[in-house]
Amino acid sequence: MNLLLTIGLAIANLLPQAGDAFWRDSIPTEMRQSYISYGNQYAGKPWTVLPWTVFAENKITGNRVNYEGLCFEKRRQLAALVMAEIMEGRGRFISDIINGLGSFCEETWWGIPAHYSKPIPLTELQEVDLFNAETASLVVWTRYMLEKQLDVFSSALCQRIDREIERRILQPAVEKDYWWKTAGMNWNPWICSNWLACVLICEKDEARKAEAIRQIRQAIRAFIDAYPEDGGCDEGPGYWDRAAASMFEILRLLPDDANFSGMFGKIQRMAAYAYKTYIGNDYCVCFADAHENKAVQQVNIVYPFGLWLNDQTMRAFGAYLGQRKQVLSNPAALFDKSGNFPTLGRELFFLRHIREFMAEQPHEPLLKDVWLPDLQIMTARRGNLYVAMKGGHNGESHNHNDVGSFIVYSNSEPLFIDPAVGEYTAQTFGKGRYDIWTMQSQYHNLPQINGVDQKDGKSFAAKVVSHKNGQLTLDIAAAYPNEAAVKSWKRTVSARATGISVVEDYELDACRQPTRLMLMALSPTALQHLHYDKRQLEVTVEDISDKLDPVLKKMWGSQMFRIILTVKSAKLKDQIKYTIK
């Protein structure tokens, strides 16, 4: 069968359009009603005209979140109205949806200011970025699901949408040699998954459609090839949602063939990362840039991915997440954090499997031991304590200078933490990134040696000395520049039933000032869990709560402290031990 016909049939078979009996007969009544109730809050609400002055703030002050908040809420509004109309099927929300589509078509650019080269979008830029593509996906799934209803208003409306998608996505995506087409990070599958939806729904030029699918296949293969063999996401669990998870969205729409059959084992490991980094009580390991450390993974992608792979642990995890978020009665939970605004396609494909989901037995994946050798990440669970430690290098995607850092949770609640990242600004991905305190090793659970912190760059890396379940030894000396005068720093973290032990075995070339061991905590009471030799270490506590911005406060609350263990000895070679119980 012709490839393009096969893919077109796949969409029709997988996803019935609005008005199909499936949406009336297969979705539980309570769930259908809650989608309608959620959409009601937007009924009759005006459509925001996104202000250029707010867009310009990114270039003027570095603030990008004010515009993003308005932009993302507008997209949420459309998704909520579309879902409500699909579930109710009475045409009550159609006028609002039509006006929304018109407002979207009139926006000069669908992306965000951080990805735009000029202060304001005065010209219709033909560029494809993350949110340009994601907005396009939202629009085309709206077009696909409600095509008949939109045609009743005017057959010209879908034609206008097709022209907008061609101009904004289809033409430039095929013609331009974008860097993200060969990238091993989230931009590649995130954009390609949305690009593919546009191709399958709106592309009328058969030759360009075939070429687009060829390029998407090639791009996603490059993405998988670039991924470490252990399946780990160096961008962290928060970005997994738009890395391996977006890759899956592409694979489920492409027919099975030899292009990916030899990669299935690696794809399974890429999926499993989602639950291998799960701590408990909805918390996930949050190394690198993380805006969330709790309820990070989304039901509407975890469960279908697990079902597609027949990964029972992942399926049960998806069911557990759904139970925790009460998705059968509170679809607002599904609109919460998929990407940055609701991903309509994900929502719809998830609902296609709602009966399997409801029959699934929920189970929290509390794995005892995990070792990702390529990322050099170890996690271990002993009794009520959980520890995760990372090696790697300081040139990773969304990197923090955090080689050798570890986190500890007690009873699935944070004890010693990685602060994660605050609000994204122009500085976050600019030259001053490592001037931001959350990016610096002195605000991670790491040593500061001779007053010197770790340096950014791929060459500043850890070396694995040894690993066995529950114990990892890293030499992190090379993560520091020459000014630190460190010859060797072997850090061993061991998880035992009696507690988490840390051994710092080091050798210096010089001791110019006392070494300080940092521990980040949410309360000074974390000290009660720390057992150390007072002859070796002097402890002080520094309140850094004034450093927290709104994003960090949302994650952690209003307080954060840095516990500083100052080494009393001036020896060039020594060993320090402490235990967390």
Side-chain angles (χ1 to χ4, degrees):
M1 183 180 290
N2 178 274
L3 171 64
L4 302 181
L5 178 60
T6 300
I7 295 174
L9 290 173
I11 292 181
N13 292 333
L14 285 172
L15 202 57
Q17 292 176 297
D20 189 278
F22 170 81
W23 304 108
R24 181 188 66 246
D25 299 339
S26 297
I27 310 300
T29 301
E30 182 183 20
M31 192 174 197
R32 288 178 59 243
Q33 187 54 52
S34 58
Y35 275 111
I36 296 166
S37 297
Y38 191 75
N40 279 336
Q41 67 181 308
Y42 293 104
K45 182 179 177 181
W47 289 94
T48 300
V49 177
L50 299 175
W52 284 0
T53 53
V54 180
F55 191 101
E57 289 176 0
N58 182 64
K59 292 290 189 291
I60 297 170
T61 68
N63 183 289
R64 55 184 273 181
V65 298
N66 290 341
Y67 182 87
E68 288 175 10
L70 296 171
C71 177
F72 297 164
E73 175 59 19
K74 184 175 180 179
R75 276 93 179 127
R76 179 187 297 267
Q77 181 177 348
L78 180 61
L81 291 166
V82 171
M83 289 303 303
E85 179 57 40
I86 291 168
M87 294 300 162
E88 187 176 78
R90 290 167 43 197
R92 190 162 61 91
F93 299 96
I94 289 295
S95 291
D96 285 325
I97 293 168
I98 290 170
N99 289 332
L101 290 169
S103 181
F104 277 81
C105 288
E106 290 166 3
E107 288 183 9
T108 307
W109 195 55
W110 283 345
I112 60 173
H115 303 157
Y116 194 79
S117 59
K118 297 178 181 179
I120 53 175
L122 286 171
T123 58
E124 296 178 341
L125 182 69
Q126 282 190 309
E127 286 294 325
V128 181
D129 86 322
L130 299 180
F131 299 105
N132 173 294
E134 193 160 335
T135 298
S137 176
L138 172 63
V139 170
V140 301
W141 284 117
T142 299
R143 181 214 186 285
Y144 172 79
M145 294 301 296
L146 297 172
E147 182 176 14
K148 295 175 184 176
Q149 293 84 346
L150 298 177
D151 280 348
V152 169
F153 173 74
S154 172
S155 60
L157 180 51
C158 286
Q159 295 171 16
R160 170 66 186 276
I161 289 171
D162 290 347
R163 290 197 301 273
E164 292 293 331
I165 298 300
E166 179 179 23
R167 176 177 68 82
R168 297 173 188 262
I169 301 292
L170 298 178
Q171 183 179 340
V174 164
E175 293 178 357
K176 295 189 178 183
D177 189 22
Y178 287 110
W179 65 268
W180 46 259
K181 291 181 182 180
T182 58
M185 47 80 78
N186 70 81
W187 276 60
N188 181 333
W190 192 343
I191 292 174
C192 284
S193 61
N194 292 316
W195 176 19
L196 180 60
C198 294
V199 170
L200 300 181
I201 294 170
C202 292
E203 182 59 88
K204 302 298 189 292
D205 185 317
E206 292 300 314
R208 190 166 60 191
K209 179 182 286 189
E211 174 59 17
I213 291 172
R214 186 195 70 77
Q215 288 189 25
I216 290 168
R217 271 194 165 130
Q218 183 173 299
I220 207 61
R221 186 177 185 99
F223 172 75
I224 297 171
D225 285 341
Y227 237 64
E229 286 301 316
D230 60 22
C233 178
D234 68 355
E235 301 171 280
Y239 274 94
W240 176 91
D241 177 71
R242 278 315 191 168
S246 288
M247 170 200 69
F248 158 63
E249 292 185 281
I250 296 168
L251 297 180
R252 74 176 166 192
L253 285 178
L254 292 175
D256 294 333
D257 61 19
N259 280 321
F260 301 104
S261 59
M263 297 179 161
F264 192 73
K266 189 173 185 178
I267 291 168
Q268 287 178 310
R269 294 189 291 275
M270 293 168 73
Y273 175 85
Y275 58 81
K276 287 181 177 179
T277 50
Y278 179 76
I279 297 171
N281 192 27
D282 292 348
Y283 284 106
C284 287
V285 174
C286 64
F287 297 132
D289 280 356
H291 287 305
E292 299 289 343
N293 61 341
K294 199 169 188 180
V296 170
Q297 305 307 349
Q298 300 301 297
V299 184
N300 63 6
I301 199 68
V302 169
Y303 184 73
F305 202 172
L307 196 65
W308 186 77
L309 290 169
N310 196 25
D311 182 330
Q312 190 54 53
T313 302
M314 194 168 191
R315 290 170 59 171
F317 182 35
Y320 166 80
L321 293 172
Q323 184 183 68
R324 294 280 288 192
K325 296 185 180 189
Q326 299 177 310
V327 298
L328 295 181
S329 58
N330 180 26
L334 289 175
F335 279 74
D336 195 19
K337 306 185 199 72
S338 278
N340 290 73
F341 53 89
T343 48
L344 186 58
R346 281 190 180 183
E347 199 97 339
L348 295 167
F349 276 106
F350 167 71
L351 292 175
R352 192 67 169 128
H353 301 293
I354 193 65
R355 292 299 174 183
E356 295 102 316
F357 169 79
M358 291 172 65
E360 202 73 57
Q361 187 66 35
H363 185 70
E364 194 176 18
L366 303 178
L367 304 186
K368 182 180 179 182
D369 290 293
V370 171
W371 172 234
L372 301 174
D374 297 304
L375 287 192
Q376 299 178 356
I377 288 180
M378 175 195 78
T379 76
R381 192 185 309 274
R382 299 293 185 274
N384 68 340
L385 288 175
Y386 177 97
V387 63
M389 182 184 186
K390 77 174 296 291
H393 59 80
N394 282 330
E396 295 170 343
S397 184
H398 290 271
N399 176 70
H400 293 200
N401 287 341
D402 60 354
V403 168
S405 189
F406 63 86
I407 59 173
V408 178
Y409 279 59
S410 175
N411 291 315
S412 296
E413 290 294 332
L415 187 57
F416 295 110
I417 66 166
D418 181 319
V421 69
E423 288 184 344
Y424 279 169
T425 67
Q427 184 183 5
T428 308
F429 299 103
K431 292 180 180 179
R433 177 177 176 87
Y434 293 98
D435 294 331
I436 301 171
W437 70 273
T438 55
M439 311 297 179
Q440 299 170 9
S441 62
Q442 64 173 306
Y443 292 102
H444 291 76
N445 301 322
L446 284 165
Q448 187 182 63
I449 307 169
N450 279 314
V452 177
D453 295 327
Q454 291 186 10
K455 187 77 172 63
D456 58 291
K458 192 171 183 178
S459 62
F460 295 94
K463 179 181 179 181
V464 176
V465 177
S466 65
H467 168 262
K468 59 183 178 181
N469 284 347
Q471 180 175 297
L472 176 60
T473 300
L474 297 173
D475 188 339
I476 61 173
Y480 292 80
N482 293 335
E483 295 85 344
V486 55
K487 185 180 295 184
S488 171
W489 194 291
K490 295 177 182 176
R491 164 174 274 193
T492 300
V493 173
S494 305
R496 301 188 179 96
T498 54
I500 308 298
S501 71
V502 184
V503 178
E504 315 280 9
D505 199 337
Y506 63 88
E507 184 175 358
L508 308 178
D509 287 322
C511 185
R512 302 187 183 102
Q513 58 179 284
T515 290
R516 304 196 302 168
L517 306 172
M518 311 300 185
L519 290 172
M520 305 298 295
L522 301 180
S523 169
T525 59
L527 265 175
Q528 298 172 10
H529 298 269
L530 190 63
H531 300 264
Y532 59 95
D533 188 339
K534 294 181 180 179
R535 294 170 298 179
Q536 288 186 313
L537 300 170
E538 180 181 346
V539 176
T540 56
V541 179
E542 179 185 1
D543 188 344
I544 61 168
S545 303
D546 61 348
K547 293 181 177 291
L548 304 182
D549 66 17
V551 167
L552 291 169
K553 287 179 179 178
K554 182 182 176 184
M555 285 181 67
W556 301 114
S558 61
Q559 291 187 311
M560 189 176 292
F561 298 84
R562 183 167 67 164
I563 298 170
I564 303 172
L565 310 176
T566 302
V567 178
K568 294 180 178 181
S569 169
K571 294 179 181 178
L572 296 184
K573 187 174 183 179
D574 206 353
Q575 187 181 83
I576 305 293
K577 297 180 181 180
Y578 48 101
T579 305
I580 300 160
K581 295 185 178 181

